[in-house]
PDB file of all heavy atoms in Angstrom:
ATOM      1  N   ALA W  82       4.256   8.875   7.775  1.00  0.00           N
ATOM      2  CA  ALA W  82       4.173   9.956   6.796  1.00  0.00           C
ATOM      3  C   ALA W  82       5.529  10.545   6.444  1.00  0.00           C
ATOM      4  O   ALA W  82       5.697  11.108   5.353  1.00  0.00           O
ATOM      5  CB  ALA W  82       3.251  11.055   7.324  1.00  0.00           C
ATOM      6  N   HIS W  83       6.520  10.433   7.339  1.00  0.00           N
ATOM      7  CA  HIS W  83       7.812  11.075   7.070  1.00  0.00           C
ATOM      8  C   HIS W  83       8.517  10.469   5.859  1.00  0.00           C
ATOM      9  O   HIS W  83       9.371  11.105   5.252  1.00  0.00           O
ATOM     10  CB  HIS W  83       8.717  10.993   8.301  1.00  0.00           C
ATOM     11  CG  HIS W  83       9.014   9.608   8.763  1.00  0.00           C
ATOM     12  ND1 HIS W  83       8.126   8.859   9.511  1.00  0.00           N
ATOM     13  CD2 HIS W  83      10.105   8.822   8.584  1.00  0.00           C
ATOM     14  CE1 HIS W  83       8.661   7.684   9.786  1.00  0.00           C
ATOM     15  NE2 HIS W  83       9.850   7.629   9.229  1.00  0.00           N
ATOM     16  N   PHE W  84       8.143   9.236   5.472  1.00  0.00           N
ATOM     17  CA  PHE W  84       8.776   8.616   4.312  1.00  0.00           C
ATOM     18  C   PHE W  84       8.404   9.315   3.011  1.00  0.00           C
ATOM     19  O   PHE W  84       9.118   9.196   2.017  1.00  0.00           O
ATOM     20  CB  PHE W  84       8.398   7.129   4.219  1.00  0.00           C
ATOM     21  CG  PHE W  84       9.233   6.233   5.082  1.00  0.00           C
ATOM     22  CD1 PHE W  84       8.960   6.081   6.418  1.00  0.00           C
ATOM     23  CD2 PHE W  84      10.309   5.537   4.551  1.00  0.00           C
ATOM     24  CE1 PHE W  84       9.729   5.249   7.222  1.00  0.00           C
ATOM     25  CE2 PHE W  84      11.088   4.710   5.338  1.00  0.00           C
ATOM     26  CZ  PHE W  84      10.794   4.572   6.684  1.00  0.00           C
ATOM     27  N   SER W  85       7.288  10.007   2.980  1.00  0.00           N
ATOM     28  CA  SER W  85       6.826  10.651   1.739  1.00  0.00           C
ATOM     29  C   SER W  85       7.173  12.130   1.679  1.00  0.00           C
ATOM     30  O   SER W  85       6.824  12.800   0.693  1.00  0.00           O
ATOM     31  CB  SER W  85       5.312  10.461   1.576  1.00  0.00           C
ATOM     32  OG  SER W  85       4.618  10.996   2.679  1.00  0.00           O
ATOM     33  N   GLN W  86       7.859  12.677   2.684  1.00  0.00           N
ATOM     34  CA  GLN W  86       8.134  14.111   2.703  1.00  0.00           C
ATOM     35  C   GLN W  86       9.009  14.548   1.532  1.00  0.00           C
ATOM     36  O   GLN W  86       8.802  15.606   0.941  1.00  0.00           O
ATOM     37  CB  GLN W  86       8.775  14.509   4.028  1.00  0.00           C
ATOM     38  CG  GLN W  86       7.821  14.466   5.214  1.00  0.00           C
ATOM     39  CD  GLN W  86       6.559  15.273   4.966  1.00  0.00           C
ATOM     40  OE1 GLN W  86       6.618  16.452   4.605  1.00  0.00           O
ATOM     41  NE2 GLN W  86       5.410  14.638   5.138  1.00  0.00           N
ATOM     42  N   ASN W  87      10.024  13.750   1.195  1.00  0.00           N
ATOM     43  CA  ASN W  87      10.882  14.110   0.060  1.00  0.00           C
ATOM     44  C   ASN W  87      10.100  14.116  -1.253  1.00  0.00           C
ATOM     45  O   ASN W  87      10.336  14.952  -2.128  1.00  0.00           O
ATOM     46  CB  ASN W  87      12.059  13.140  -0.032  1.00  0.00           C
ATOM     47  CG  ASN W  87      13.058  13.336   1.087  1.00  0.00           C
ATOM     48  OD1 ASN W  87      13.360  14.461   1.469  1.00  0.00           O
ATOM     49  ND2 ASN W  87      13.573  12.248   1.626  1.00  0.00           N
ATOM     50  N   LEU W  88       9.174  13.180  -1.387  1.00  0.00           N
ATOM     51  CA  LEU W  88       8.337  13.128  -2.587  1.00  0.00           C
ATOM     52  C   LEU W  88       7.442  14.361  -2.670  1.00  0.00           C
ATOM     53  O   LEU W  88       7.310  14.979  -3.726  1.00  0.00           O
ATOM     54  CB  LEU W  88       7.502  11.849  -2.578  1.00  0.00           C
ATOM     55  CG  LEU W  88       6.511  11.673  -3.730  1.00  0.00           C
ATOM     56  CD1 LEU W  88       7.241  11.574  -5.063  1.00  0.00           C
ATOM     57  CD2 LEU W  88       5.650  10.431  -3.505  1.00  0.00           C
ATOM     58  N   ILE W  89       6.831  14.713  -1.544  1.00  0.00           N
ATOM     59  CA  ILE W  89       5.929  15.861  -1.520  1.00  0.00           C
ATOM     60  C   ILE W  89       6.679  17.153  -1.866  1.00  0.00           C
ATOM     61  O   ILE W  89       6.237  17.945  -2.711  1.00  0.00           O
ATOM     62  CB  ILE W  89       5.258  15.978  -0.144  1.00  0.00           C
ATOM     63  CG1 ILE W  89       4.338  14.779   0.095  1.00  0.00           C
ATOM     64  CG2 ILE W  89       4.478  17.280  -0.023  1.00  0.00           C
ATOM     65  CD1 ILE W  89       3.818  14.678   1.515  1.00  0.00           C
ATOM     66  N   SER W  90       7.836  17.354  -1.231  1.00  0.00           N
ATOM     67  CA  SER W  90       8.594  18.582  -1.483  1.00  0.00           C
ATOM     68  C   SER W  90       9.186  18.591  -2.888  1.00  0.00           C
ATOM     69  O   SER W  90       9.233  19.632  -3.549  1.00  0.00           O
ATOM     70  CB  SER W  90       9.700  18.738  -0.440  1.00  0.00           C
ATOM     71  OG  SER W  90      10.583  17.630  -0.461  1.00  0.00           O
ATOM     72  N   GLY W  91       9.633  17.444  -3.369  1.00  0.00           N
ATOM     73  CA  GLY W  91      10.221  17.373  -4.706  1.00  0.00           C
ATOM     74  C   GLY W  91       9.216  17.656  -5.802  1.00  0.00           C
ATOM     75  O   GLY W  91       9.491  18.423  -6.735  1.00  0.00           O
ATOM     76  N   LEU W  92       8.038  17.059  -5.702  1.00  0.00           N
ATOM     77  CA  LEU W  92       7.007  17.322  -6.705  1.00  0.00           C
ATOM     78  C   LEU W  92       6.461  18.737  -6.575  1.00  0.00           C
ATOM     79  O   LEU W  92       6.156  19.390  -7.569  1.00  0.00           O
ATOM     80  CB  LEU W  92       5.866  16.311  -6.556  1.00  0.00           C
ATOM     81  CG  LEU W  92       6.157  14.885  -7.008  1.00  0.00           C
ATOM     82  CD1 LEU W  92       4.973  13.970  -6.696  1.00  0.00           C
ATOM     83  CD2 LEU W  92       6.466  14.832  -8.496  1.00  0.00           C
ATOM     84  N   GLY W  93       6.350  19.220  -5.336  1.00  0.00           N
ATOM     85  CA  GLY W  93       5.826  20.565  -5.120  1.00  0.00           C
ATOM     86  C   GLY W  93       6.712  21.643  -5.712  1.00  0.00           C
ATOM     87  O   GLY W  93       6.243  22.739  -6.034  1.00  0.00           O
ATOM     88  N   ALA W  94       8.003  21.352  -5.882  1.00  0.00           N
ATOM     89  CA  ALA W  94       8.937  22.334  -6.432  1.00  0.00           C
ATOM     90  C   ALA W  94       8.932  22.352  -7.957  1.00  0.00           C
ATOM     91  O   ALA W  94       9.561  23.225  -8.569  1.00  0.00           O
ATOM     92  CB  ALA W  94      10.353  22.033  -5.930  1.00  0.00           C
ATOM     93  N   ARG W  95       8.241  21.417  -8.574  1.00  0.00           N
ATOM     94  CA  ARG W  95       8.234  21.350 -10.039  1.00  0.00           C
ATOM     95  C   ARG W  95       7.169  22.274 -10.626  1.00  0.00           C
ATOM     96  O   ARG W  95       6.086  22.434 -10.056  1.00  0.00           O
ATOM     97  CB  ARG W  95       7.967  19.917 -10.502  1.00  0.00           C
ATOM     98  CG  ARG W  95       9.079  18.947 -10.151  1.00  0.00           C
ATOM     99  CD  ARG W  95       8.929  17.661 -10.927  1.00  0.00           C
ATOM    100  NE  ARG W  95      10.062  16.775 -10.728  1.00  0.00           N
ATOM    101  CZ  ARG W  95      10.307  15.705 -11.477  1.00  0.00           C
ATOM    102  NH1 ARG W  95       9.510  15.405 -12.485  1.00  0.00           N
ATOM    103  NH2 ARG W  95      11.350  14.942 -11.237  1.00  0.00           N
ATOM    104  N   ARG W  96       7.492  22.811 -11.784  1.00  0.00           N
ATOM    105  CA  ARG W  96       6.528  23.649 -12.484  1.00  0.00           C
ATOM    106  C   ARG W  96       5.405  22.780 -13.032  1.00  0.00           C
ATOM    107  O   ARG W  96       5.598  21.645 -13.414  1.00  0.00           O
ATOM    108  CB  ARG W  96       7.201  24.396 -13.635  1.00  0.00           C
ATOM    109  CG  ARG W  96       8.238  25.426 -13.194  1.00  0.00           C
ATOM    110  CD  ARG W  96       8.802  26.146 -14.406  1.00  0.00           C
ATOM    111  NE  ARG W  96       7.748  26.786 -15.201  1.00  0.00           N
ATOM    112  CZ  ARG W  96       7.924  27.290 -16.414  1.00  0.00           C
ATOM    113  NH1 ARG W  96       9.120  27.237 -16.992  1.00  0.00           N
ATOM    114  NH2 ARG W  96       6.919  27.855 -17.062  1.00  0.00           N
ATOM    115  N   ASN W  97       4.205  23.343 -13.074  1.00  0.00           N
ATOM    116  CA  ASN W  97       3.045  22.680 -13.652  1.00  0.00           C
ATOM    117  C   ASN W  97       2.665  21.397 -12.921  1.00  0.00           C
ATOM    118  O   ASN W  97       2.061  20.497 -13.508  1.00  0.00           O
ATOM    119  CB  ASN W  97       3.270  22.368 -15.139  1.00  0.00           C
ATOM    120  CG  ASN W  97       3.482  23.617 -15.964  1.00  0.00           C
ATOM    121  OD1 ASN W  97       2.897  24.658 -15.679  1.00  0.00           O
ATOM    122  ND2 ASN W  97       4.334  23.535 -16.975  1.00  0.00           N
ATOM    123  N   VAL W  98       3.042  21.284 -11.656  1.00  0.00           N
ATOM    124  CA  VAL W  98       2.609  20.154 -10.839  1.00  0.00           C
ATOM    125  C   VAL W  98       1.940  20.700  -9.582  1.00  0.00           C
ATOM    126  O   VAL W  98       2.544  21.450  -8.821  1.00  0.00           O
ATOM    127  CB  VAL W  98       3.786  19.238 -10.446  1.00  0.00           C
ATOM    128  CG1 VAL W  98       3.297  18.117  -9.523  1.00  0.00           C
ATOM    129  CG2 VAL W  98       4.437  18.640 -11.680  1.00  0.00           C
ATOM    130  N   ASP W  99       0.680  20.353  -9.398  1.00  0.00           N
ATOM    131  CA  ASP W  99      -0.044  20.695  -8.174  1.00  0.00           C
ATOM    132  C   ASP W  99      -0.085  19.466  -7.277  1.00  0.00           C
ATOM    133  O   ASP W  99      -0.401  18.365  -7.746  1.00  0.00           O
ATOM    134  CB  ASP W  99      -1.471  21.141  -8.484  1.00  0.00           C
ATOM    135  CG  ASP W  99      -1.511  22.475  -9.207  1.00  0.00           C
ATOM    136  OD1 ASP W  99      -0.608  23.299  -8.964  1.00  0.00           O
ATOM    137  OD2 ASP W  99      -2.434  22.682 -10.023  1.00  0.00           O
ATOM    138  N   VAL W 100       0.240  19.635  -6.012  1.00  0.00           N
ATOM    139  CA  VAL W 100       0.307  18.519  -5.075  1.00  0.00           C
ATOM    140  C   VAL W 100      -0.687  18.723  -3.941  1.00  0.00           C
ATOM    141  O   VAL W 100      -0.782  19.814  -3.370  1.00  0.00           O
ATOM    142  CB  VAL W 100       1.731  18.362  -4.494  1.00  0.00           C
ATOM    143  CG1 VAL W 100       1.771  17.234  -3.455  1.00  0.00           C
ATOM    144  CG2 VAL W 100       2.738  18.084  -5.608  1.00  0.00           C
ATOM    145  N   ARG W 101      -1.425  17.676  -3.651  1.00  0.00           N
ATOM    146  CA  ARG W 101      -2.272  17.648  -2.464  1.00  0.00           C
ATOM    147  C   ARG W 101      -1.906  16.411  -1.647  1.00  0.00           C
ATOM    148  O   ARG W 101      -1.444  15.407  -2.185  1.00  0.00           O
ATOM    149  CB  ARG W 101      -3.758  17.568  -2.830  1.00  0.00           C
ATOM    150  CG  ARG W 101      -4.390  18.836  -3.334  1.00  0.00           C
ATOM    151  CD  ARG W 101      -5.905  18.628  -3.461  1.00  0.00           C
ATOM    152  NE  ARG W 101      -6.577  19.767  -4.075  1.00  0.00           N
ATOM    153  CZ  ARG W 101      -7.879  19.818  -4.296  1.00  0.00           C
ATOM    154  NH1 ARG W 101      -8.650  18.795  -3.922  1.00  0.00           N
ATOM    155  NH2 ARG W 101      -8.432  20.879  -4.867  1.00  0.00           N
ATOM    156  N   VAL W 102      -2.151  16.485  -0.351  1.00  0.00           N
ATOM    157  CA  VAL W 102      -1.914  15.354   0.544  1.00  0.00           C
ATOM    158  C   VAL W 102      -3.232  15.003   1.227  1.00  0.00           C
ATOM    159  O   VAL W 102      -3.898  15.871   1.795  1.00  0.00           O
ATOM    160  CB  VAL W 102      -0.837  15.690   1.603  1.00  0.00           C
ATOM    161  CG1 VAL W 102      -0.648  14.506   2.555  1.00  0.00           C
ATOM    162  CG2 VAL W 102       0.476  16.047   0.924  1.00  0.00           C
ATOM    163  N   LEU W 103      -3.611  13.730   1.146  1.00  0.00           N
ATOM    164  CA  LEU W 103      -4.821  13.238   1.808  1.00  0.00           C
ATOM    165  C   LEU W 103      -4.397  12.197   2.840  1.00  0.00           C
ATOM    166  O   LEU W 103      -3.935  11.111   2.493  1.00  0.00           O
ATOM    167  CB  LEU W 103      -5.789  12.619   0.788  1.00  0.00           C
ATOM    168  CG  LEU W 103      -7.073  11.998   1.364  1.00  0.00           C
ATOM    169  CD1 LEU W 103      -7.900  13.051   2.096  1.00  0.00           C
ATOM    170  CD2 LEU W 103      -7.900  11.346   0.253  1.00  0.00           C
ATOM    171  N   ASP W 104      -4.529  12.554   4.104  1.00  0.00           N
ATOM    172  CA  ASP W 104      -4.117  11.676   5.199  1.00  0.00           C
ATOM    173  C   ASP W 104      -5.335  10.912   5.702  1.00  0.00           C
ATOM    174  O   ASP W 104      -6.099  11.410   6.523  1.00  0.00           O
ATOM    175  CB  ASP W 104      -3.482  12.505   6.319  1.00  0.00           C
ATOM    176  CG  ASP W 104      -2.750  11.626   7.327  1.00  0.00           C
ATOM    177  OD1 ASP W 104      -2.950  10.403   7.302  1.00  0.00           O
ATOM    178  OD2 ASP W 104      -1.972  12.167   8.131  1.00  0.00           O
ATOM    179  N   LEU W 105      -5.517   9.697   5.221  1.00  0.00           N
ATOM    180  CA  LEU W 105      -6.709   8.930   5.551  1.00  0.00           C
ATOM    181  C   LEU W 105      -6.755   8.513   7.013  1.00  0.00           C
ATOM    182  O   LEU W 105      -7.829   8.272   7.561  1.00  0.00           O
ATOM    183  CB  LEU W 105      -6.801   7.689   4.666  1.00  0.00           C
ATOM    184  CG  LEU W 105      -7.122   7.940   3.194  1.00  0.00           C
ATOM    185  CD1 LEU W 105      -7.035   6.646   2.402  1.00  0.00           C
ATOM    186  CD2 LEU W 105      -8.511   8.566   3.036  1.00  0.00           C
ATOM    187  N   LYS W 106      -5.593   8.417   7.645  1.00  0.00           N
ATOM    188  CA  LYS W 106      -5.612   7.966   9.046  1.00  0.00           C
ATOM    189  C   LYS W 106      -6.257   8.993   9.965  1.00  0.00           C
ATOM    190  O   LYS W 106      -6.628   8.665  11.101  1.00  0.00           O
ATOM    191  CB  LYS W 106      -4.211   7.615   9.522  1.00  0.00           C
ATOM    192  CG  LYS W 106      -3.231   8.751   9.667  1.00  0.00           C
ATOM    193  CD  LYS W 106      -1.894   8.227  10.204  1.00  0.00           C
ATOM    194  CE  LYS W 106      -0.894   9.351  10.439  1.00  0.00           C
ATOM    195  NZ  LYS W 106      -0.428   9.931   9.175  1.00  0.00           N
ATOM    196  N   GLU W 107      -6.409  10.228   9.494  1.00  0.00           N
ATOM    197  CA  GLU W 107      -7.112  11.228  10.284  1.00  0.00           C
ATOM    198  C   GLU W 107      -8.608  10.920  10.352  1.00  0.00           C
ATOM    199  O   GLU W 107      -9.275  11.257  11.331  1.00  0.00           O
ATOM    200  CB  GLU W 107      -6.896  12.619   9.694  1.00  0.00           C
ATOM    201  CG  GLU W 107      -5.454  13.118   9.786  1.00  0.00           C
ATOM    202  CD  GLU W 107      -5.293  14.505   9.224  1.00  0.00           C
ATOM    203  OE1 GLU W 107      -6.285  15.025   8.670  1.00  0.00           O
ATOM    204  OE2 GLU W 107      -4.185  15.070   9.320  1.00  0.00           O
ATOM    205  N   SER W 108      -9.120  10.271   9.296  1.00  0.00           N
ATOM    206  CA  SER W 108     -10.542   9.908   9.254  1.00  0.00           C
ATOM    207  C   SER W 108     -10.793   8.484   9.733  1.00  0.00           C
ATOM    208  O   SER W 108     -11.861   8.183  10.271  1.00  0.00           O
ATOM    209  CB  SER W 108     -11.083  10.055   7.823  1.00  0.00           C
ATOM    210  OG  SER W 108     -10.885  11.358   7.329  1.00  0.00           O
ATOM    211  N   TYR W 109      -9.818   7.608   9.530  1.00  0.00           N
ATOM    212  CA  TYR W 109      -9.974   6.196   9.873  1.00  0.00           C
ATOM    213  C   TYR W 109      -8.821   5.782  10.786  1.00  0.00           C
ATOM    214  O   TYR W 109      -7.733   5.474  10.323  1.00  0.00           O
ATOM    215  CB  TYR W 109      -9.983   5.340   8.610  1.00  0.00           C
ATOM    216  CG  TYR W 109     -11.006   5.771   7.583  1.00  0.00           C
ATOM    217  CD1 TYR W 109     -10.657   6.622   6.529  1.00  0.00           C
ATOM    218  CD2 TYR W 109     -12.329   5.347   7.665  1.00  0.00           C
ATOM    219  CE1 TYR W 109     -11.591   7.037   5.597  1.00  0.00           C
ATOM    220  CE2 TYR W 109     -13.277   5.747   6.738  1.00  0.00           C
ATOM    221  CZ  TYR W 109     -12.895   6.592   5.702  1.00  0.00           C
ATOM    222  OH  TYR W 109     -13.830   6.999   4.782  1.00  0.00           O
ATOM    223  N   ALA W 110      -9.088   5.748  12.085  1.00  0.00           N
ATOM    224  CA  ALA W 110      -8.030   5.452  13.054  1.00  0.00           C
ATOM    225  C   ALA W 110      -7.326   4.121  12.784  1.00  0.00           C
ATOM    226  O   ALA W 110      -6.100   4.037  12.929  1.00  0.00           O
ATOM    227  CB  ALA W 110      -8.603   5.467  14.469  1.00  0.00           C
ATOM    228  N   PRO W 111      -8.035   3.040  12.374  1.00  0.00           N
ATOM    229  CA  PRO W 111      -7.338   1.775  12.119  1.00  0.00           C
ATOM    230  C   PRO W 111      -6.350   1.841  10.964  1.00  0.00           C
ATOM    231  O   PRO W 111      -5.518   0.948  10.812  1.00  0.00           O
ATOM    232  CB  PRO W 111      -8.490   0.797  11.798  1.00  0.00           C
ATOM    233  CG  PRO W 111      -9.691   1.399  12.443  1.00  0.00           C
ATOM    234  CD  PRO W 111      -9.497   2.880  12.292  1.00  0.00           C
ATOM    235  N   PHE W 112      -6.425   2.893  10.138  1.00  0.00           N
ATOM    236  CA  PHE W 112      -5.500   3.014   9.018  1.00  0.00           C
ATOM    237  C   PHE W 112      -4.122   3.489   9.475  1.00  0.00           C
ATOM    238  O   PHE W 112      -3.225   3.652   8.664  1.00  0.00           O
ATOM    239  CB  PHE W 112      -6.056   3.993   7.981  1.00  0.00           C
ATOM    240  CG  PHE W 112      -7.176   3.418   7.147  1.00  0.00           C
ATOM    241  CD1 PHE W 112      -7.872   2.298   7.563  1.00  0.00           C
ATOM    242  CD2 PHE W 112      -7.527   3.993   5.948  1.00  0.00           C
ATOM    243  CE1 PHE W 112      -8.908   1.775   6.809  1.00  0.00           C
ATOM    244  CE2 PHE W 112      -8.569   3.477   5.169  1.00  0.00           C
ATOM    245  CZ  PHE W 112      -9.253   2.365   5.615  1.00  0.00           C
ATOM    246  N   ARG W 113      -3.934   3.696  10.763  1.00  0.00           N
ATOM    247  CA  ARG W 113      -2.647   4.140  11.272  1.00  0.00           C
ATOM    248  C   ARG W 113      -1.633   3.007  11.351  1.00  0.00           C
ATOM    249  O   ARG W 113      -0.476   3.238  11.659  1.00  0.00           O
ATOM    250  CB  ARG W 113      -2.826   4.764  12.662  1.00  0.00           C
ATOM    251  CG  ARG W 113      -3.674   6.029  12.645  1.00  0.00           C
ATOM    252  CD  ARG W 113      -3.991   6.488  14.056  1.00  0.00           C
ATOM    253  NE  ARG W 113      -4.918   7.621  14.028  1.00  0.00           N
ATOM    254  CZ  ARG W 113      -5.602   8.057  15.086  1.00  0.00           C
ATOM    255  NH1 ARG W 113      -5.450   7.457  16.258  1.00  0.00           N
ATOM    256  NH2 ARG W 113      -6.416   9.079  14.979  1.00  0.00           N
ATOM    257  N   ASN W 114      -2.062   1.770  11.121  1.00  0.00           N
ATOM    258  CA  ASN W 114      -1.129   0.642  11.181  1.00  0.00           C
ATOM    259  C   ASN W 114      -1.458  -0.344  10.067  1.00  0.00           C
ATOM    260  O   ASN W 114      -2.339  -0.100   9.242  1.00  0.00           O
ATOM    261  CB  ASN W 114      -1.188  -0.033  12.559  1.00  0.00           C
ATOM    262  CG  ASN W 114      -2.610  -0.424  12.940  1.00  0.00           C
ATOM    263  OD1 ASN W 114      -3.306  -1.061  12.171  1.00  0.00           O
ATOM    264  ND2 ASN W 114      -3.042  -0.024  14.133  1.00  0.00           N
TER     265      ASN W 114
END
Side-chain angles (χ1 to χ4, degrees):
H83 59 281
F84 277 82
S85 58
Q86 289 307 307
N87 289 320
L88 177 64
I89 294 170
S90 59
L92 287 175
R95 294 195 173 193
R96 294 182 57 192
N97 298 326
V98 177
D99 291 329
V100 177
R101 285 188 186 180
V102 178
L103 177 61
D104 193 346
L105 290 174
K106 68 178 183 290
E107 293 181 354
S108 303
Y109 306 95
F112 284 18
R113 296 172 186 165
N114 53 51

